[in-house]
Amino acid sequence: MITTTSEHIAGKQVVKTLGIVRGNTVRARNLGKDISAVFRNMVGGEVAEYTKLLAEAREQALDRMVAHAEAIGGNAVICARFATSEIMGGAAEIVAYGTAVIIE
Amino acid sequence: MSCETYQPLITGYLDGELTDEQRGGIEAHLETCEACRQELADLAELKESLAAIKFTEPTDTELERFWAAIYNRLERGVGWILFSIGGILLLCFGAFRLIESVVRDPDISLVVKIGVVALLFGAVILFVSLLRERLKVRKKDRYSREVQR
């Protein structure tokens, strides 16, 4: 399924708009990784634990959004966006949302 | 005009660096010369594959080299083992002391004693249960396994 941040998909026509689809997740790394992150905060540099954490959360949110779009019969998602909230320290809530459409 | 004149200009033609006059000349020559057309095609292909090469980030190779060194792995492992042993010992000791002080104290009512002990044991059992669930699910969790960044 094509997901895009733009309103138009090059070479295709949107024939039907189905509505908002979204997928979200809240993920945390384990305690060991959180402790490593505290030390990295002291020494500097990329906190790879949290890079991976946010990437995991993004992928899972995207996959859930696509699954929602498939469930309502769409074959593409346009205007996809990400948003984030803070639920607990050390956990990332990411929601991916967009408009499910049928393209030809 | 011969190949000798135009062959050196082929790379310039690909990069768009020729003057209008040179471009006209080389295009006219290319129409007639098979060898130069082939040269142009080869150079165009080379240019495309060079543009497609991606270099791994310098930080990645440094990281890999770091982790390949066994001393670094050993050091990290020893650190974690010591830290975990210390943490577990202190936690168990603290919990034991807490239960002991609550149970031994005659002034605290029985209800509170039972409550504290039940709470602590319940928390431990809950934690173990969630940990087992996570360990089982982790094998199937493709996001933990596959996503790097």
Side-chain angles (χ1 to χ4, degrees):
Chain A
M1 180 178 292
I2 296 180
T3 44
T4 172
T5 50
S6 58
E7 274 185 39
H8 307 286
I9 298 177
K12 303 269 185 190
Q13 194 83 343
V14 172
V15 296
K16 191 168 180 197
T17 305
L18 295 169
I20 296 181
V21 288
R22 75 284 179 280
N24 76 330
T25 180
V26 183
R27 292 183 77 92
R29 297 303 303 276
N30 58 50
L31 183 64
K33 300 282 188 265
D34 283 338
I35 291 169
S36 297
V38 168
F39 288 136
R40 276 202 213 272
N41 213 359
M42 294 178 202
V43 301
E46 181 188 7
V47 186
E49 290 84 20
Y50 288 159
T51 306
K52 181 163 151 60
L53 167 64
L54 284 168
E56 285 174 18
R58 240 174 271 125
E59 288 306 311
Q60 187 166 26
L62 260 181
D63 285 350
R64 286 186 174 160
M65 179 184 75
V66 164
H68 186 192
E70 275 169 8
I72 63 173
N75 62 359
V77 178
I78 59 173
C79 300
R81 301 283 182 270
F82 288 105
T84 183
S85 321
E86 186 172 331
I87 301 289
M88 45 193 265
E93 196 260 5
I94 300 223
V95 58
Y97 60 92
T99 309
V101 294
I102 299 181
I103 55 169
E104 263 163 32
Chain B
M1 291 292 182
S2 67
C3 289
E4 264 173 34
T5 329
Y6 286 113
Q7 228 199 23
L9 294 177
I10 291 181
T11 45
Y13 178 60
L14 262 179
D15 294 336
E17 290 166 354
L18 299 180
T19 63
D20 287 342
E21 194 189 313
Q22 285 172 316
R23 203 162 357 108
I26 195 172
E27 276 170 1
H29 175 77
L30 281 172
E31 271 168 33
T32 55
C33 178
E34 175 64 43
C36 285
R37 272 204 300 275
Q38 184 58 41
E39 175 84 16
L40 178 69
D42 289 343
L43 282 172
E45 198 186 313
L46 180 66
K47 188 174 172 189
E48 210 180 295
S49 35
L50 278 175
I53 290 179
K54 285 207 179 79
F55 296 98
T56 44
E57 289 176 25
T59 40
D60 278 7
T61 40
E62 278 307 311
L63 265 176
E64 277 166 33
R65 218 176 289 147
F66 183 83
W67 284 114
I70 198 153
Y71 166 73
N72 296 322
R73 290 212 296 268
L74 209 62
E75 181 188 54
R76 190 70 63 100
V78 165
W80 273 122
I81 289 173
L82 280 176
F83 190 90
S84 309
I85 290 177
I88 290 172
L89 277 177
L90 287 173
L91 261 176
C92 291
F93 185 72
F96 184 67
R97 272 297 160 100
L98 177 67
I99 292 185
E100 201 185 27
S101 71
V102 164
V103 166
R104 290 263 172 90
D105 193 341
D107 291 329
I108 298 181
S109 73
L110 187 62
V111 175
V112 175
K113 290 180 188 177
I114 294 177
V116 167
V117 173
L119 198 70
L120 273 172
F121 274 104
V124 168
I125 293 172
L126 270 176
F127 178 76
V128 168
S129 168
L130 277 167
L131 183 64
R132 274 183 50 242
E133 176 192 326
R134 170 65 183 161
L135 289 174
K136 282 234 172 78
V137 169
R138 190 147 65 119
K139 291 182 205 131
K140 300 278 173 62
D141 185 0
R142 43 179 287 256
Y143 300 105
S144 291
R145 275 184 291 112
E146 290 170 12
V147 178
Q148 288 305 315
R149 73 169 69 94

